[in-house]
Amino acid sequence: AQSVTQLGSHVSVSEGALVLLRCNYSSSVPPYLFWYVQYPNQGLQLLLKYTSAATLVKGINGFEAEFKKSETSFHLTKPSAHMSDAAEYFCAVSLTGTASKLTFGTGTRLQVTL
Amino acid sequence: KAGVTQTPRYLIKTRGQQVTLSCSPISGHRSVSWYQQTPGQGLQFLFEYFSETQRNKGNFPGRFSGRQFSNSRSEMNVSTLELGDSALYLCASREGYQETQYFGPGTRLLVL
């Protein structure tokens, strides 16, 4: 079975500061990993995904994440936060080559202050 | 291409009633999955349909059911509604065996 742990339910950063959202996974087989963002009253939008190609994955809106097998981590970063980045972020894992069940973390709400 | 659409967007029901939610996937996508999102339990997988067949099912009671039509549109039904069924129900589609799921805006269900 697979699982995801997101450290920090709330993260607050200043505009222009580095964004770091943490995600650790547990999986018995090589996983696929995803970051989704959810704005208020909306569905989930895919930011980026890791599917066993390059370990450093670049996504939309300037976000990127690095897959570190030794640390079982897939942390999300952005060099400079913007007010529009305020949202809830979800890390998710699925097993390779199987049905599409995604297992989500509990989410991290990102607040961006002036 | 148009994205995943879900109808209705908002719904209010009373305990004991039943409800049907609809999801239209992205054109060409044959897989549709359903998720429930609540403040307490987070995002939980309900079930997945592919070419009209249920391929995977989460840990939800039998009151939750679904189906998929030949045009890949899917419906989810919840019978004998309980207060705890109040949630945002999200539908996601993907093209065959690709790994990326694309989500719709969700249907917010309130059970009174």
Side-chain angles (χ1 to χ4, degrees), chain B residues 17-79:
Chain B
Q17 287 186 311
Q18 74 165 15
V19 67
T20 299
L21 312 181
S22 180
C23 171
S24 293
I26 292 171
S27 177
H29 286 196
R30 294 185 293 168
S31 165
V32 173
S33 296
W34 289 88
Y35 293 83
Q36 182 196 63
Q37 184 178 25
T38 61
Q41 299 299 316
L43 281 153
Q44 294 185 287
F45 172 77
L46 279 156
F47 31 64
E48 182 212 6
Y49 287 86
F50 181 83
S51 294
E52 302 179 65
T53 301
Q54 188 180 88
R55 274 207 313 190
N56 203 353
K57 189 176 187 305
N59 295 323
F60 278 82
R63 300 185 297 108
F64 292 82
S65 63
R67 59 177 176 169
Q68 186 179 33
F69 302 95
S70 57
N71 61 357
S72 294
R73 188 177 70 85
S74 177
E75 287 182 349
M76 190 192 91
N77 184 273
V78 187
S79 63

Side-chain angles (χ1 to χ4, degrees), chain B residues 89-102:
Chain B
Y89 290 89
L90 294 164
C91 164
S93 75
R94 71 172 187 164
E95 184 179 357
Y97 287 92
Q98 288 188 2
E99 303 81 19
T100 302
Q101 293 188 61
Y102 297 92

Side-chain angles (χ1 to χ4, degrees), chain A residues 52-65:
Chain A
S52 73
T55 56
L56 182 61
V57 181
K58 294 187 183 299
I60 62 172
N61 302 338
F63 285 93
E64 63 181 38

Side-chain angles (χ1 to χ4, degrees), chain A:
Chain A
Q2 67 271 29
S3 66
V4 170
T5 301
Q6 289 185 243
L7 294 175
S9 58
H10 289 84
V11 170
S12 182
V13 300
S14 300
E15 190 173 36
L18 171 72
V19 176
L20 171 61
L21 304 182
R22 300 178 186 274
C23 172
N24 288 88
Y25 70 91
S26 172
S27 176
S28 56
V29 298
Y32 287 166
L33 293 161
F34 307 81
W35 275 100
Y36 285 89
V37 61
Q38 186 176 36
Y39 297 99
N41 299 315
Q42 295 188 26
L44 301 174
Q45 180 183 8
L46 180 70
L47 279 176
L48 49 80
K49 64 179 180 180
Y50 166 77
T51 56
S52 73
T55 56
L56 182 61
V57 181
K58 294 187 183 299
I60 62 172
N61 302 338
F63 285 93
E64 63 181 38
E66 186 173 8
F67 173 72
K68 292 186 176 180
K69 184 178 179 180
S70 61
E71 300 176 8
T72 60
S73 68
F74 190 58
H75 301 330
L76 182 71
T77 61
K78 182 174 180 178
S80 177
H82 191 271
M83 296 295 290
S84 62
D85 294 327
E88 188 147 24
Y89 293 79
F90 292 92
C91 182
V93 62
S94 72
L95 300 181
T96 57
T98 66
S100 61
K101 173 185 173 181
L102 284 169
T103 299
F104 286 90
T106 51
T108 297
R109 185 167 298 279
L110 176 66
Q111 180 183 18
V112 182
T113 59
L114 289 173

